[in-house]
Amino acid sequence: MDAKTVIENRFINQKLVASSWCDSPEKIVFHFGAMQSQNYGQSLWAVGSRLITPSELAVKQAIDHGEIIRSWLLRGTIHLFSAKDYHWMMDLIAPTIDKICKPYRAKLGLTEEVLHKGSEVVAEFVAEQVATRKDLAAHLATMDLPSAGIQFAQLLVYLSSRKIICSGPDESFRNTKHIPADTTNFTREEAIKELAKRYIQSHAPATLKDFCFWSGLNVTDAKVGLADSPKMGDFYIMPLVENSSVTPTIPLAGFDEWIIGYRDRSVVLPETWHDEIITKNGIFRPAIITDGKVVGKWEKPKKLARLEGDYWDRYIQFRNML
């Protein structure tokens, strides 16, 4: 499949053109299944850039009110995902998170006893209150439990995967009692198929390797998930269209799905920009794309007046609505 067809169709499926923008942050996140949120502030723009009316406040409120959850999920990294999907996604992905993290836990002395005690202590602490990361650390310290560094971070990942904590307002933590009960009753195979469906509808055209990377699933499971998806050559597709409304230039968020959502990024990320956008320690910097391809990078400005060019209008609107 030629690069033009790939880019034109991804623009629609990734909701980066006006015809596919959504009227609510939750609808965008639900469409994607999960959106990378390693950088909280940048992930607000990742969602906001796909809204009909871009608003940072609207995205923050969706997270703060529990419509969107921000927690460790795919590949053991932080994602945004809909509260409607919370239970089946966590149930599907938690074993993979364990597989990734268990070697680190063992080296860090996070024994089953420590994890069990930490679970009880934190569950009680967040039962009636929202807690900041600092609050949790201070409380755990009083119980001689991990409260700093990688040990503490790994404990938080564990507590999240066990549905003891999830995101609260302003990057805090709270319990999961407000999340609606799971009504899907998916089998594991059905959950994999649903995850694959969300990926293809939001990232197609995409390959098996792309889905394996994004989801963290092994090839066998990924093939099960994609079994019902139409295919053209190596690409799984949605109905292909000729998209004449590709937005010429767009400032993308750091860790945006346009780039991070694929194993092979060569179609949109020229080699000359690779090291500028993706650092050696895995940070994905905010990128500027023209006709779908990276042509520059940018940083959050201290003054919006410094942003020059019509393509910044939606970002300025997004920031000004706070």
Side-chain angles (χ1 to χ4, degrees):
M1 188 179 298
D2 63 273
K4 181 175 181 291
T5 300
V6 170
I7 288 172
E8 286 183 348
N9 282 270
R10 283 184 184 174
F11 258 107
I12 294 173
N13 297 329
Q14 286 241 1
K15 296 193 174 297
L16 283 173
V17 292
S19 61
S20 61
W21 291 339
C22 287
D23 60 3
S24 85
E26 189 275 336
K27 286 181 182 178
I28 293 168
V29 175
F30 185 87
H31 170 76
F32 276 83
M35 298 178 73
Q36 191 80 28
S37 183
Q38 210 71 10
N39 182 303
Y40 173 73
Q42 288 293 329
S43 68
L44 298 181
W45 172 235
V47 178
S49 61
R50 292 163 167 90
L51 285 170
I52 294 172
T53 304
S55 165
E56 188 170 22
L57 181 60
V59 185
K60 280 177 57 67
Q61 287 179 335
I63 298 171
D64 293 351
H65 295 166
E67 298 169 24
I68 294 173
I69 304 301
R70 181 174 184 260
S71 193
W72 291 270
L73 192 69
L74 306 179
R75 309 183 305 282
T77 59
I78 300 175
H79 282 73
L80 299 176
F81 50 110
S82 172
K84 296 173 184 175
D85 295 323
Y86 176 78
H87 290 288
W88 72 264
M89 279 199 179
M90 289 302 301
D91 291 346
L92 173 64
I93 302 300
T96 301
I97 295 175
D98 278 346
K99 186 176 181 180
I100 294 169
C101 294
K102 273 186 176 179
Y104 297 107
R105 293 173 189 161
K107 290 179 182 178
L108 294 167
L110 292 173
T111 63
E112 288 300 319
E113 181 181 357
V114 171
L115 294 172
H116 179 72
K117 183 179 178 182
S119 298
E120 289 186 333
V121 168
V122 172
E124 182 178 357
F125 189 64
V126 299
E128 304 297 337
Q129 63 183 319
V130 171
T132 65
R133 192 182 183 103
K134 186 176 180 180
D135 293 335
L136 280 177
H139 186 65
L140 287 165
T142 66
M143 304 288 181
D144 293 323
L145 287 165
S147 59
I150 299 176
Q151 264 194 326
F152 179 46
Q154 281 293 319
L155 178 57
L156 292 179
V157 174
Y158 177 85
L159 296 170
S160 169
S161 68
R162 294 307 186 274
K163 300 183 183 179
I164 294 169
I165 57 171
C166 68
S167 54
D170 297 318
E171 299 187 76
S172 61
F173 296 95
R174 60 181 161 193
N175 62 48
T176 60
K177 294 177 183 177
H178 64 287
I179 299 176
D182 188 9
T183 58
T184 60
N185 297 313
F186 284 151
T187 64
R188 186 173 186 276
E189 181 175 323
E190 289 170 338
I192 292 172
K193 285 181 176 292
E194 181 64 22
L195 189 65
K197 173 188 169 185
R198 302 288 186 86
Y199 178 74
I200 295 304
Q201 74 182 19
S202 59
H203 290 76
T207 66
L208 171 64
K209 288 182 179 179
D210 291 330
F211 178 55
C212 285
F213 167 77
W214 179 83
S215 66
L217 297 174
N218 60 42
V219 173
T220 300
D221 285 341
K223 285 182 176 179
V224 169
L226 294 168
D228 300 328
S229 298
K231 193 177 182 185
M232 180 178 290
D234 291 333
F235 288 92
Y236 291 89
I237 61 173
M238 295 292 286
L240 295 177
V241 299
E242 185 172 336
N243 176 16
S244 60
S245 60
V246 170
T247 305
T249 302
I250 300 175
L252 293 179
F255 294 97
D256 196 278
E257 290 293 322
W258 184 257
I259 297 174
I260 201 173
Y262 306 89
R263 166 65 76 183
D264 183 356
R265 305 177 181 113
S266 59
V267 173
V268 300
L269 182 59
E271 187 63 32
T272 53
W273 279 103
H274 186 279
D275 291 345
E276 293 289 330
I277 299 301
I278 306 175
T279 68
K280 291 180 179 179
N281 58 345
I283 302 298
F284 283 66
R285 294 190 176 111
I288 296 174
I289 59 171
T290 295
D291 296 328
K293 297 185 179 183
V294 174
V295 295
K297 63 180 181 179
W298 62 283
E299 296 180 358
K300 183 177 179 179
K302 294 180 180 179
K303 294 183 179 180
L304 295 180
R306 293 181 179 177
L307 299 175
E308 297 179 357
D310 293 344
Y311 59 88
W312 289 108
D313 289 350
R314 281 174 53 79
Y315 180 74
I316 292 170
Q317 182 182 11
F318 168 79
R319 293 288 309 282
N320 280 352
M321 294 189 73
L322 275 175

